[in-house]
């Protein structure tokens, strides 16, 4: 029972910490989006010299947009999971209490009246555990999905460096853009990885 | 859990308390039940820790589906922190509780049970053979607080008013009023905040014909001890944590 309560506690903590990690990812995604806007402006001023850079800025922008959308979806999923965790916790508690009631009421005239309600609760609890597992799987899927834009961002950052080298006097500004995209992507990668490993530690 | 019948004439009043398995650091509480032919009302059903022993005790008198009503005099944890569990056990039941506490009490979990708010002026609960009166007792000690008066049995369930802090094996009834006073004094001086509220309640309650004054902690007052309690409480100055 003790181990069980510990497990529940860790679920609450894990689900809550996902929300924190994700709000950081969101900040990062918005930074990338800003970097894309900067890059676009620089590339525009650089004209011919930064021709190769222009499609890259569109990529960066698209990437940021996609990330923000995914984070929103993951947030929704995480709060649904949190709700299930709370509900499941309440049902677990009631289930445990009902068992105590039946042990305490063995001499009571109406002891049997609780049986159908306890059975129903057990059934709903089973259903909820199933739902919980499903929601965790979905969340893990979404978390691995968000790794794609993070990885892509790093590739784009590398390409940006190459393109920047042809941009003459705009080299430094474009390198800065590439640097910030790379840093943001790395942060995102670390955060999401942390979410995934803490979820993996959560015993199901 | 000790079970004592207080009244039995067409319907019953039963008090539950003195739970021998209760942890020592929890305050001892009295829970009350009014049982009619096909319904059952639990008054101040108690804290989470008390849910299992309380439901087990109630099953001596009524099947779960006939426990149709709960009453919470106020929002305290020793009164009703068990709500989330009753919500699972009695999905069809109604909870009668102060209107101002609704948003607070729902934090204990109240999804299936219907919350029937009691407005400040009071109200009634019709159980069939008896219509109970909900008597305002605000600020004694909670800012939204009600007593339950049964005009047929002449029992006033007074919640924290009349409460005494004493050992868990104490008798159910007051036997020696003057000896009992010392067990009540600190509780009333410290937990009750307002002399004005106290006097208002005393005026209201003196108009009722009361045979038993039944608090949520300690012992029940019978007969002349009811009047003795009202006199004692009237003379007592409360709100002691603030030095004037
Ligand atoms: Fe209280
Ligand atoms: Fe109390």
């Amino acid at each position: 029972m003790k181990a069980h309560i510990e497990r529940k506690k860790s679920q609450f903590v894990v689900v809550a910490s996902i929300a924190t990690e994700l709000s950081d990812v969101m900040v990062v995604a918005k930074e990338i989006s800003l970097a894309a806007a900067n890059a676009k402006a620089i590339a525009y001023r650089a004209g011919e010299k930064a021709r190769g850079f222009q499609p890259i800025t569109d990529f960066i922008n698209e990437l940021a947009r996609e990330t923000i959308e995914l984070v929103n979806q993951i947030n929704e999923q995480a709060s649904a999971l949190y709700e299930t965790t709370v509900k499941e916790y309440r049902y677990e508690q009631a289930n445990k209490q009902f068992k105590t009631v039946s042990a305490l009421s063995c001499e009571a005239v109406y002891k049997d009246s609780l049986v159908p309600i306890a059975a129903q609760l057990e059934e709903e609890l089973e259903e909820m555990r199933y739902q919980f597992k499903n929601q965790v799987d979905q969340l893990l899927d979404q978390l691995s999905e968000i790794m794609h834009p993070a990885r892509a961002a790093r590739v784009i950052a590398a390409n940006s460096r190459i393109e920047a080298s042809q941009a003459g006097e705009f080299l430094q500004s474009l390198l800065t853009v590439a640097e910030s995209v790379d840093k943001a992507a790395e942060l995102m990668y670390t955060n999401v990885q942390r979410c995934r490993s803490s979820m993996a530690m959560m015993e199901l | 859990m000790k079970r004592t019948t207080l009244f039995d004439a067409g319907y019953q009043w039963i008090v539950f308390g003195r739970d021998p398995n209760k942890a020592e650091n929890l305050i001892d509480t009295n829970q009350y039940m009014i049982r009619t032919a096909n319904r059952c009302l639990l008054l101040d059903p108690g804290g989470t820790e008390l849910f299992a022993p309380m439901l087990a005790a109630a099953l001596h008198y009524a099947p779960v589906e006939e426990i149709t009503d709960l009453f919470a005099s106020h929002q305290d944890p020793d009164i009703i922190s068990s709500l989330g569990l009753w919500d699972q056990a009695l999905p069809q039941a109604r909870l009668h509780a102060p209107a101002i506490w609704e948003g607070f009490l729902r934090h204990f979990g109240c999804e299936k049970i219907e919350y029937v708010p009691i407005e400040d002026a009071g109200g009634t609960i019709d159980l069939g053979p008896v219509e109970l009166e909900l008597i305002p007792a605000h600020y004694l000690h909670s800012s939204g607080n009600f007593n339950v008066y049964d005009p047929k049995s002449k029992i006033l369930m007074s919640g924290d008013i009349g409460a005494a802090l004493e050992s868990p094996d104490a008798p159910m009834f007051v036997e020696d009023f003057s000896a009992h006073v010392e067990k009540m004094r600190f509780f009333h001086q410290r937990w009750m905040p307002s002399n004005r509220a106290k006097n208002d309640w005393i005026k209201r309650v003196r108009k009722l014909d009361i045979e038993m004054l039944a608090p949520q902690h300690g012992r029940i007052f019978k007969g002349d001890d009811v009047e003795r309690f009202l006199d004692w409480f009237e003379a007592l100055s409360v709100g002691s944590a603030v030095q004037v």
Side-chain angles (χ1 to χ4, degrees):
Chain A
M1 191 51 74
K2 176 106 181 138
H4 178 77
I5 289 170
E6 289 301 317
R7 186 188 72 124
K8 276 287 158 205
K9 263 193 205 157
S10 76
Q11 279 179 15
F12 280 114
V13 174
V14 168
V15 178
S17 68
I18 287 173
T20 316
E21 300 284 2
L22 287 179
S23 73
D24 290 346
V25 171
M26 198 59 135
V27 172
V28 167
K30 284 178 181 154
E31 273 167 19
I32 294 180
S33 172
L34 196 67
N38 271 337
K40 217 178 173 68
I42 296 165
Y44 180 76
R45 271 189 282 145
E48 260 314 290
K49 284 185 213 156
R51 202 159 46 93
F53 211 86
Q54 295 209 357
I56 293 181
T57 61
D58 291 336
F59 263 130
I60 298 176
N61 202 23
E62 178 62 17
L63 212 62
R65 206 188 50 75
E66 201 184 317
T67 306
I68 290 170
E69 201 174 295
L70 275 170
V71 169
N72 279 332
Q73 279 173 19
I74 294 175
N75 263 332
E76 250 168 59
Q77 183 69 20
S79 70
L81 181 65
Y82 188 75
E83 241 169 67
T84 309
T85 306
V86 173
K87 210 165 166 194
E88 195 195 337
Y89 175 76
R90 280 201 166 140
Y91 276 60
E92 297 264 20
Q93 293 298 308
N95 192 37
K96 194 178 105 192
Q97 293 280 351
F98 283 8
K99 293 208 157 71
T100 313
V101 174
S102 69
L104 288 175
S105 64
C106 48
E107 281 167 27
V109 197
Y110 297 106
K111 63 175 192 294
D112 293 337
S113 66
L114 190 64
V115 174
I117 294 169
Q120 160 114 32
L121 181 87
E122 199 122 18
E123 220 171 274
E124 285 175 52
L125 190 55
E126 217 33 67
E127 173 69 27
M128 225 167 277
R129 284 185 188 129
Y130 180 73
Q131 193 188 337
F132 181 82
K133 280 197 185 98
N134 263 342
Q135 286 178 328
V136 167
D137 285 348
Q138 274 185 48
L139 190 56
L140 281 171
D141 281 353
Q142 286 173 324
L143 285 174
S144 72
E145 211 178 313
I146 208 171
M147 294 305 258
H148 298 154
R151 274 192 216 103
R154 303 211 71 179
V155 174
I156 288 174
N159 283 341
S160 308
R161 280 195 199 96
I162 298 167
E163 287 298 331
S165 63
Q166 336 238 307
E169 73 266 38
F170 293 100
L171 170 79
Q172 208 40 56
S173 327
L174 288 178
L175 272 183
T176 312
V177 170
E179 205 54 49
S180 77
V181 170
D182 196 32
K183 240 175 78 192
E186 195 191 335
L187 234 150
M188 210 163 93
Y189 194 90
T190 323
N191 272 354
V192 173
Q193 204 56 285
R194 224 174 9 233
C195 281
R196 292 172 76 188
S197 63
S198 66
M199 279 189 72
M201 282 197 314
M202 179 167 75
E203 241 181 275
L204 298 173
Chain B
M1 183 97 66
K2 213 166 116 182
R3 315 189 296 267
T4 312
T5 302
L6 301 177
F7 173 83
D8 189 357
Y11 62 97
Q12 295 88 41
W13 270 80
I14 302 118
V15 57
F16 305 85
R18 315 294 190 260
D19 181 15
N21 301 316
K22 177 189 72 66
E24 229 174 88
N25 51 5
L26 295 177
I27 188 168
D28 192 45
T29 51
N30 302 326
Q31 290 70 236
Y32 296 88
M33 172 194 270
I34 302 174
R35 174 67 168 134
T36 70
N38 54 5
R39 284 176 66 183
C40 187
L41 165 68
L42 298 179
L43 302 120
D44 288 350
T48 306
E49 296 294 322
L50 226 76
F51 170 79
M54 184 55 209
L55 177 53
L59 291 177
H60 285 273
Y61 301 90
V64 185
E65 65 273 15
E66 288 183 19
I67 306 176
T68 51
D69 296 83
L70 301 175
F71 165 81
S73 60
H74 60 288
Q75 85 295 1
D76 266 348
D78 65 324
I79 299 280
I80 189 68
S81 62
S82 56
L83 180 58
L85 294 165
W86 293 107
D87 197 53
Q88 301 287 351
L90 318 171
Q92 314 289 343
R94 306 182 338 140
L95 168 70
H96 307 265
I100 68 160
W101 291 124
E102 179 167 355
F104 298 71
L105 283 173
R106 286 190 182 278
H107 278 280
F108 289 135
C110 181
E111 284 170 8
K112 297 168 184 164
I113 286 179
E114 181 194 350
Y115 193 108
V116 185
I118 309 167
E119 298 304 328
D120 282 353
T124 56
I125 301 174
D126 192 353
L127 281 183
V130 62
E131 183 169 87
L132 302 163
E133 295 168 22
L134 304 171
I135 312 289
H138 305 309
Y139 304 108
L140 298 172
H141 64 91
S142 167
S143 40
N145 186 44
F146 294 93
N147 293 168
V148 174
Y149 178 64
D150 174 348
K152 279 199 182 157
S153 67
K154 300 181 170 44
I155 295 173
L156 179 74
M157 205 292 280
S158 57
D160 279 335
I161 307 169
L165 304 172
E166 55 182 335
S167 62
D169 53 352
M172 253 358 275
F173 296 96
V174 173
E175 285 151 7
D176 177 350
F177 185 83
S178 49
H180 191 62
V181 160
E182 286 319 309
K183 294 169 185 154
M184 302 192 289
R185 189 187 307 278
F186 175 70
F187 183 86
H188 287 78
Q189 284 180 327
R190 181 62 186 83
W191 264 268
M192 304 294 172
S194 159
N195 286 312
R196 205 173 112 204
K198 180 197 73 175
N199 291 332
D200 178 77
W201 177 82
I202 287 173
K203 209 171 86 195
R204 202 186 296 270
V205 162
R206 279 203 200 279
K207 291 181 195 141
L208 305 172
D209 183 6
I210 301 170
E211 230 147 65
M212 269 187 219
L213 188 141
Q216 191 233 354
H217 309 278
R219 308 191 199 190
I220 296 168
F221 302 83
K222 272 196 298 196
D224 293 340
D225 282 338
V226 174
E227 194 55 39
R228 281 189 196 108
F229 171 74
L230 294 179
D231 291 343
W232 171 82
F233 191 31
E234 191 164 32
L236 187 77
S237 180
V238 302
S240 67
V242 177
Q243 306 294 330
V244 207

